[in-house]
Every structure is written in structure tokens, then in C-alpha cells.
Amino acid sequence: MSEHVLALDQGTTSTRAIVFDADGGIVSVAQREHKQIFPRAGWVEHDPIEIWTNTQWVIAAALDDAGLGPRDFAGMGITNQRETAIVWDRRTGRPVANALVWQDTRTQPLIDRLAADGGADRFATTTGLPLATYFSASKIAWILENVPGARADAEAGHLLFGTPETWVIWNLTGDTRSGIHVTDVTNASRTLLMDLSTLEWSDELLAVFGIPRSMMPEIVSSSGVVGEVREPPAARGIPIAGILGDQQAATFGQAAFDPGQSKNTYGTGNFLLVNTGKEIVRSQHGLVTTVAYRCGDEPASYALEGSIAVTGSLVQWLRDNLGIISSASEVERLASSVEDSGGAYFVPAFSGLFAPYWRPDARGALVGLTRYVNKAHIARAAIEAAAFQSRDVIDAIVADTGLELTELRVDGGGSRDDVMMQFQSDILGIPVVRPAIIETTALGAAYAAGLATGVWPDRESLRGHWREGRRWEPAMPTEEADRRVRLWRKAVTKSLDWVDEDVTALS
Ligand SMILES: Nc1ncnc2c1ncn2[C@@H]1O[C@H](COP(=O)(O)OP(=O)(O)OP(=O)(O)O)[C@@H](O)[C@H]1O
Ligand SMILES: [Mg+2]
């Protein structure tokens, strides 16, 4: 019976394939990490071939583990790390360079030049986004400028651009023979190249960044059949029926379909989205406006988003660069061995600060240190940083929308951390609620595919799948929470104005 749905989650640190049954339950999971490549300070790359190899492997492994074949699947949904730019040659299928990852800041000089002429918000009306290295456009421009021969090949129509879902779908559907070149509205809304109201590529913006239109994928809905899998053979014939950027997928997977509903995902970074329905709401407080989803021919739904670059990756940094923990989950044990951070505050502005500050000149700062502070306090300061940054974003959402959040729905790998979730509730003064399934990113992609292929009749029917897993209530007096938020914001000021002529964005 074709009642299962396959989800592929091509994330920043790993690629996962998850098989879901018709109740939205997990049948099997396969996952592989890929290399994080740091050629210089500020540069972050992935190998697109490694991502494609891992994709084939996890799909085959998940199907094998579930004991299912292609005919058992109604469809497949794909979700992905957003903004990361891949450019490849349609004649050979070879990438012309490594993927430039969303965290990569090498294009700051181009962003500065563009911002000098009209300000950082000059394209905000069209795109909903500030000018920042974070989004894809400047990364594509960098590849065309710096890879020998790329500009000429692009102008001759030989090169294709895509964020990771586009690259993966082109390969899944038969690459140079029959590869389909598509992206969905949610991913397209993160490029700085799409007009939010027409949902089409903007010729003006393509011209500003010097990107030939022939490189750009077709923009499709988030839920709808676009083609069939050809590779890997284990999945041959499964319809590709859902595409969502990872944060929009998590929002969809939390069943936050209606205006006012929100979620906060604790992954490599943190991303808080609040659905604003059919209305395009413009932020006055440092949030970005993005497409939440579009199902079939319906009008698109939009969201306000607070994007935080570094939360879980700070925990990885404690593990990989400092070696004070040996696994990410160990941070919780170390942090809970102390009552508080001992006065230490950690502002992880490793690639500048994203929402709500948008300060590329910021760099990481660990402040408030005394002889008293030990590694447990630093571990605690690291997980508290995710909670403080989320508080900053929620304050911006309240200021922009007038909505008072009554609870916060959370998900992602970091939401397993009970210490961090309790502190999050303390610092917000509202309950924090984690669903039974925290793989909401993959679940959202599965929902989009299952809606398009008749596994589920409508979004309403999906709401019934949502189950509460655990809930934390605020336990800290408000005055104490407010005092710590003031100290956090003082710490943020210490991280600003670091990058100047002595410390360029590249060193
Ligand atoms: N106990 C914990 N406390 C805090 N953070 C944790 C804990 N366990 C895992 N993490 C962090 O969670 C992140 C992994 O979560 P998840 O798998 O959701 O990430 P992700 O962002 O989806 O990955 P990707 O970026 O590849 O999509 C890692 O950055 C890790 O450091
Ligand atoms: Mg993820």
C-alpha cells in the first residue's frame, strides 16, 4: 500500500532520511554527517558531491531498514539548509566550486558596497530581507566573480544555481539526462532575488548581483508533485511532492498553519517563525519577512522570522575547538553541575550577529570573567546564550505584531536539553512546550508531500497528529530574569564594533 511518506532533510551538519507512516509516526531513520570545510576565518563550505553521495546512502538505508520499496510510498518530501549556494555545470553535473554555506561571510565587501548606495534595507520592500552575506545572492555573485571561466559559462547558459534541495532534486531526477531544476517559494524567499509579492525572480535584483536568469531554477509550490525519483534505484519511481526550507518545514511540522502560531527550532542556529497568514508583515524590529508555505495553487502564507546564526554550533565549538565536552549532549550534564553561569555571558557572534541586531561587525565575546569562572560556568553560559538570543527575537516579534506569546513551541536537537528548556522558560516567563516528535523539520516535508499525494486530505487533519511531549513552566522570579536579560544585553554591546580596518571581515 502506498501509504508511507519519505522525508529527506539535507541539513547544515548532516543529511537524514526518515520514513513516516500515515499517522505521522517514524518508521526508520538514517543519517550521515558531512565535512564542514573552513578554508579561512569567515569561510564555510560543503562539498556538494559528498552531500549527494550521503543523500543516496541515507535514502537507501532508511528504506532498507523499514523493509519497504518504492511502491510503498505515496511520495517524498525534501527539506534543506537554506541560503547555501551551489553552482554546477548542467553539461557535466559537476559543481564549479564547493557550496558556500549560509554562515559564510566572505562576501561582506560586496554587501558593504551595495549598502553604501541606498542602505542595508534597500531591497527589503521587494524581498523582505536586509542586505547580508547570509542570503544566497552575494554567494552566487562571488562564485561567478572568482571561479575561472564561471562568468562566461554562466552567460552561455551552461551553469545552474540551486540551494541544496535544488541540487539534490536535480540529481534525484536524473541529473544531466533528465534532471529537474526547481526550488520552492520558501527557499526562493531566502535568496534576496525573489519578489515576495509576485513570487517570481526579480530581474532588477538579478541585474544588481550580475546573475543570468538562465541559472535560476523554476519556483514551484511547497506542496505539489514536481517529478519522480530516478536515483538511487532503491527509491526509483517515488513522486517528489513536497519542498520546504528547513525552518518553514519545522513550522509546518508543528502544524503552525494559522496566523499567530509560531515555533522555535534549536539546531545549528535558532530560528523562530511566527505565521502571519496571507499578509506580508514588514518588521520594524530586525526580523525578516519570508514565505511560510504555499500549497498547490492557493495563495502563499507568510511569516516573520528571527534568524539566530549560532546556538547549537556553539555547543559543537565547545566540543571541537575547546574540547571541554566530548559530545553535544554532555553540555547539559556539565552545565547542570553549577547553579548559574557564575557571572559569565557568552555572545556567540562568530559570523556577526543576525536577528534582531544584524551587526556584521560583531564577533564572539565571553565577558564577565573572574577567577571564579570554570568550564561548567562556560558550558552554562553557552546554553544560556541560545535562550537569551531567543528572548531578543521574541521581544522583536511582540513589538512588531502586538501578539503576546502565551507559550513557546520548540523542536530541533537542542530542545532535548532539559536544562536549556527550563532556562528558556525562566527567561521568557511563559511555558515552553516540546512535541512528542522533535524531528519536525522532516515531518513538515513529509506533510507537504503527503498532502499533495492524498495520504492526508487537508491541513486540518494533520493538527490531530500533534502530541505534547514535555512542558516547562517558568520558575525564576521576573525581576531576576529581567536582571539577567539586562546583563545579556550589556554583553551584546561588548561584542559590537569589533570588525574594523584592523580586523577585516576576512581575518
Ligand atoms: N543537549 C544539548 N544541549 C544543547 N545543544 C545540543 C544538545 N544536543 C545537541 N545539541 C545541538 O543540537 C544541534 C543538532 O540539532 P539538530 O540535529 O536539530 O541540528 P540541525 O540544525 O537540524 O542540524 P542541521 O543544521 O544539520 O540541520 C547541534 O548543533 C548540537 O550541538
Ligand atoms: Mg536541521
Side-chain angles (χ1 to χ4, degrees), residues 266 387 408 419-432 471-476 481:
Y266 298 72
L408 182 69
V419 176
M420 182 158 74
M421 293 303 106
Q422 179 60 55
F423 188 75
Q424 183 71 83
S425 177
D426 290 345
I427 284 302
L428 294 176
I430 57 173
V432 165
R471 171 180 291 263
W472 293 266
E473 300 285 344
M476 187 184 281

Side-chain angles (χ1 to χ4, degrees), residues 134-166:
Y134 175 29
F135 307 107
S136 318
S138 66
K139 301 178 197 291
I140 310 171
W142 190 94
I143 291 173
L144 295 184
E145 246 1 84
N146 291 279
V147 174
R151 158 110 13 234
D153 279 347
E155 269 158 18
H158 300 319
L159 301 191
L160 300 177
F161 154 74
T163 35
E165 83 295 359
T166 300

Side-chain angles (χ1 to χ4, degrees), residues 31-289:
Q31 177 168 7
R32 263 206 178 166
E33 292 202 5
H34 54 267
K35 272 195 297 298
Q36 304 295 315
I37 304 166
F38 305 111
R40 307 163 57 158
W43 293 31
V44 188
E45 301 179 355
H46 293 156
D47 174 0
I49 300 288
E50 184 185 11
I51 284 177
W52 169 233
T53 304
N54 288 358
T55 297
Q56 296 174 85
W57 188 88
V58 297
I59 289 175
L63 266 61
D64 186 51
D65 193 34
L68 298 172
R71 278 199 296 279
D72 299 310
F73 288 86
M76 169 179 186
I78 296 174
T79 178
N80 58 288
Q81 52 168 326
R82 308 172 301 171
E83 301 99 10
T84 296
I86 303 174
V87 175
W88 69 97
D89 192 318
R90 68 184 343 147
R91 297 167 299 182
T92 61
R94 303 290 304 176
V96 304
N98 273 340
L100 266 58
V101 177
W102 55 274
Q103 300 141 322
D104 192 297
T105 58
R106 80 183 67 180
T107 58
Q108 192 63 47
L110 169 60
I111 296 293
D112 289 343
R113 276 200 304 283
L114 291 171
D117 178 17
D121 282 334
R122 61 183 282 203
F123 305 125
T125 309
T126 310
T127 64
L129 310 174
L131 261 173
T133 60
Y134 175 29
F135 307 107
S136 318
S138 66
K139 301 178 197 291
I140 310 171
W142 190 94
I143 291 173
L144 295 184
E145 246 1 84
N146 291 279
V147 174
R151 158 110 13 234
D153 279 347
E155 269 158 18
H158 300 319
L159 301 191
L160 300 177
F161 154 74
T163 35
E165 83 295 359
T166 300
W167 163 246
V168 163
I169 292 169
W170 190 79
N171 281 287
L172 284 168
T173 54
D175 56 75
T176 53
R177 294 151 295 158
S178 54
I180 294 171
H181 191 218
V182 292
T183 186
D184 89 304
V185 280
T186 66
N187 277 294
S189 76
R190 316 296 299 183
T191 56
L192 250 180
L193 297 167
M194 189 187 82
D195 185 322
L196 261 191
S197 43
T198 63
L199 306 177
E200 298 286 350
W201 301 121
S202 154
D203 285 319
E204 183 201 342
L205 284 163
L206 289 169
V208 165
F209 286 96
I211 300 168
R213 203 185 168 103
S214 57
M215 292 181 74
M216 302 304 288
E218 182 192 344
I219 302 173
V220 300
S221 282
S222 317
S223 177
V225 175
V226 298
E228 257 184 25
V229 175
R230 288 187 59 162
E231 299 289 340
R236 190 164 293 158
I238 301 180
I240 297 173
I243 312 174
L244 287 156
D246 55 6
Q247 301 310 322
Q248 285 89 344
T251 312
F252 211 77
Q254 290 262 27
F257 304 128
D258 292 337
Q261 296 183 318
S262 62
K263 66 88 207 181
N264 194 17
T265 300
Y266 298 72
T268 303
N270 255 47
F271 299 86
L272 205 153
L273 271 74
V274 57
N275 187 318
T276 62
K278 308 294 177 242
E279 196 189 345
I280 300 180
V281 178
R282 310 276 174 189
S283 176
Q284 305 300 318
H285 299 90
L287 305 170
V288 307
T289 308

Side-chain angles (χ1 to χ4, degrees), residues 274-348:
V274 57
N275 187 318
T276 62
K278 308 294 177 242
E279 196 189 345
I280 300 180
V281 178
R282 310 276 174 189
S283 176
Q284 305 300 318
H285 299 90
L287 305 170
V288 307
T289 308
T290 203
V291 180
Y293 62 86
R294 181 177 184 214
C295 290
D297 297 332
E298 283 179 17
S301 283
Y302 295 88
L304 278 172
E305 171 176 321
S307 329
I308 302 166
V310 178
T311 56
S313 56
L314 178 58
V315 173
Q316 294 176 333
W317 184 85
L318 296 181
R319 182 193 64 192
D320 302 337
N321 296 40
L322 293 194
I324 63 172
I325 49 174
S326 57
S327 69
S329 56
E330 225 182 273
V331 77
E332 196 175 347
R333 194 188 46 73
L334 187 56
S336 61
S337 69
V338 287
E339 289 280 280
D340 56 32
S341 68
Y345 286 79
F346 201 151
V347 186

